[in-house]
């Protein structure tokens, strides 16, 4: 397995980047110590949105509203309104189940791309004349079902690097599943981190001076601040196969990877982005290019929590991570070609990771 690995150290100030079911910052126990946590799902979504907004080729859309884009694509291929409606319904059932409360959406959000939807419509158009000649209702229904299913399986999605990287699960037909080529860990603080409570009040601007001095509203919310270790890896072999981005040239795939890696490094979850504005950049990233092997986190460097000792957590965390990697390589051998962001600069860092 050829891999690109990213070992990211990043500090965030007062923030609530990823909330649990009661609105508190997420946490986890690691090494017997409470740590601040940002879930992998949260980090993946932030990376996906950043990549899609800054680059082309990340056109995947995850939604329960499938019928309307199917109908629009089929009408563009000159199917009649009735034919478009019938095939749109059939395509919806290929990927999910139609919502009994709303016929225009399905019960499970499905990840599709514009090129994939257009490809299905084109494939159906190529078979529509044969279906129009059928006079038996049962044969017509069977033909519609087969054409829709075959069209879904044959459609390509070279415009959707996000689907190739993050994967897709279709419960109705495992043949439509896409294994994600990217792997994300939950980010954990390298040190002990406890949630704190912020008491806030809002002033009523129309309240007169003669009235009581009370606030218009009061409340509390939880926050934390921490230095995090986060890990992401990309399976390059999987990314290049036919179900993923095999239809792109090597240079095109490198452009996708460059945009994606940059998005992973710069994306920040959007929770409380106005009230806490906690966006930062990593203070260091270790990138490793592996010609073979398995993905390997360096989180065990922080199984014993780092102590600031008056000098902050960033430098101490970096030193601890480097020492842990050295211990791993002493025991298990070289872990691949290494590059550090602050030593090489972003462009050289990316060039090093993308060169064999």
């Amino acid at each position: 397995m050829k891999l690109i690995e990213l070992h990211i150290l990043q500090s965030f100030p007062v923030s609530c980047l990823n909330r649990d079911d009661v609105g508190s910052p997420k946490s986890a126990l690691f090494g017997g110590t409470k740590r601040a946590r940002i879930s992998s799902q949260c980090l993946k979504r932030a990376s996906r949105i950043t990549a899609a907004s800054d680059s082309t080729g990340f056109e995947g859309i995850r939604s329960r509203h499938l019928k309307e884009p199917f109908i629009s694509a089929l009408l563009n291929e000159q199917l009649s309104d009735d034919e478009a409606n019938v095939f749109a319904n059939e395509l919806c059932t290929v990927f999910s189940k139609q919502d009994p409360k709303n016929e225009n959406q399905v019960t499970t959000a499905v990840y599709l791309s514009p090129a994939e939807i257009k490809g299905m419509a084109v494939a159906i158009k190529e078979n529509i004349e044969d279906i129009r000649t059928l006079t038996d209702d049962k044969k017509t229904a069977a033909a519609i079902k087969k054409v829709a299913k075959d069209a879904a399986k044959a459609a390509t999605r070279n415009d959707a690097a996000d689907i190739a990287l993050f994967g897709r699960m279709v419960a109705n037909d495992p043949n439509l599943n896409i294994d994600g080529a990217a792997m994300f860990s939950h980010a954990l603080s390298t040190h002990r981190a406890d949630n704190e409570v912020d008491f806030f009040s809002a002033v009523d601007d129309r309240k007169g001076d003669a009235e009581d001095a009370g606030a218009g509203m009061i409340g509390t919310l939880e926050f934390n601040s921490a230095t995090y270790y986060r890990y992401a890896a990309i399976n390059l072999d999987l990314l290049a196969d036919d179900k993923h981005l095999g239809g792109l040239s090597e240079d095109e795939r490198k452009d996708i990877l460059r945009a994606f890696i940059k998005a992973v490094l710069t994306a920040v979850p959007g929770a409380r982005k106005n009230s806490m504005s906690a966006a930062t950049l990593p203070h260091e990233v270790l990138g490793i290019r592996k010609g073979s092997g398995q993905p390997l986190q360096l989180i065990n460097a922080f199984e014993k929590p780092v102590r600031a000792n008056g000098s902050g957590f960033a430098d101490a965390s970096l030193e601890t991570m480097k020492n842990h990697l050295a211990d791993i390589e002493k025991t298990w051998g070289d872990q691949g070609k290494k590059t550090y962001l602050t030593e090489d600069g972003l462009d050289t860092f990316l060039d090093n990771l993308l060169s064999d």
Side-chain angles (χ1 to χ4, degrees), residues 15-60:
S15 58
C16 184
L17 296 172
N18 189 202
R19 290 169 277 187
D20 63 17
D21 57 338
V22 296
S24 301
K26 288 186 176 180
S27 61
L29 283 175
F30 182 63
T33 302
K34 185 178 180 180
R35 313 295 179 102
R37 176 171 67 93
I38 307 172
S39 73
S40 59
Q41 297 95 322
C42 178
L43 294 168
K44 284 193 287 186
R45 177 168 174 77
S47 299
R48 177 166 68 90
I49 291 172
T50 299
S53 63
D54 293 346
S55 311
T56 59
F58 296 85
E59 311 300 329

Side-chain angles (χ1 to χ4, degrees), residues 213-261:
M217 183 186 73
I218 60 174
T220 61
L221 56 85
E222 291 187 65
F223 68 91
N224 60 23
S225 61
T227 295
Y228 291 88
Y229 167 82
R230 54 190 183 98
Y231 171 84
I234 306 161
N235 183 336
L236 299 176
D237 293 331
L238 187 60
L239 193 66
D241 79 3
D242 290 339
K243 289 187 71 175
H244 292 71
L245 298 181
L248 299 180
S249 68
E250 184 176 353
D251 286 342
E252 288 172 326
R253 286 198 299 275
K254 284 185 177 181
D255 288 341
I256 289 291
L257 283 168
R258 183 178 292 272
F260 177 66
I261 292 171

Side-chain angles (χ1 to χ4, degrees), residues 156-306:
T156 58
R157 63 196 72 80
N158 286 331
D159 62 332
D162 36 11
I163 296 178
L165 287 159
F166 296 118
R168 177 178 75 191
M169 188 184 78
V170 179
N172 281 16
D173 189 347
N175 290 314
L176 297 172
N177 289 350
I178 306 294
D179 291 331
M183 295 157 271
F184 280 67
S185 73
H186 290 241
L188 290 178
S189 64
T190 63
H191 52 88
R192 178 183 178 88
D194 292 310
N195 293 343
E196 300 181 60
V197 177
D198 176 38
F199 170 83
F200 64 89
S201 62
V203 176
D204 187 333
D205 292 338
R206 293 188 180 277
K207 184 178 287 188
D209 293 338
E211 298 181 54
D212 67 88
M217 183 186 73
I218 60 174
T220 61
L221 56 85
E222 291 187 65
F223 68 91
N224 60 23
S225 61
T227 295
Y228 291 88
Y229 167 82
R230 54 190 183 98
Y231 171 84
I234 306 161
N235 183 336
L236 299 176
D237 293 331
L238 187 60
L239 193 66
D241 79 3
D242 290 339
K243 289 187 71 175
H244 292 71
L245 298 181
L248 299 180
S249 68
E250 184 176 353
D251 286 342
E252 288 172 326
R253 286 198 299 275
K254 284 185 177 181
D255 288 341
I256 289 291
L257 283 168
R258 183 178 292 272
F260 177 66
I261 292 171
K262 187 175 180 180
V264 171
L265 300 185
T266 59
V268 174
R272 301 200 183 281
K273 63 182 179 180
N274 291 330
S275 60
M276 292 185 173
S277 189
T280 65
L281 291 170
H283 52 79
E284 186 58 282
V285 182
L286 164 62
I288 299 179
R289 172 81 181 226
K290 288 184 175 179
S292 62
Q294 299 295 319
L296 180 68
Q297 286 195 54
L298 298 179
I299 186 61
N300 281 339
F302 312 110
E303 199 269 345
K304 179 181 178 180
V306 170

Side-chain angles (χ1 to χ4, degrees), residues 332-345:
W332 299 97
D334 184 71
Q335 293 300 300
K337 183 176 70 174
K338 289 169 278 295
T339 179
Y340 283 91
L341 177 62
T342 60
E343 294 177 7
D344 298 322

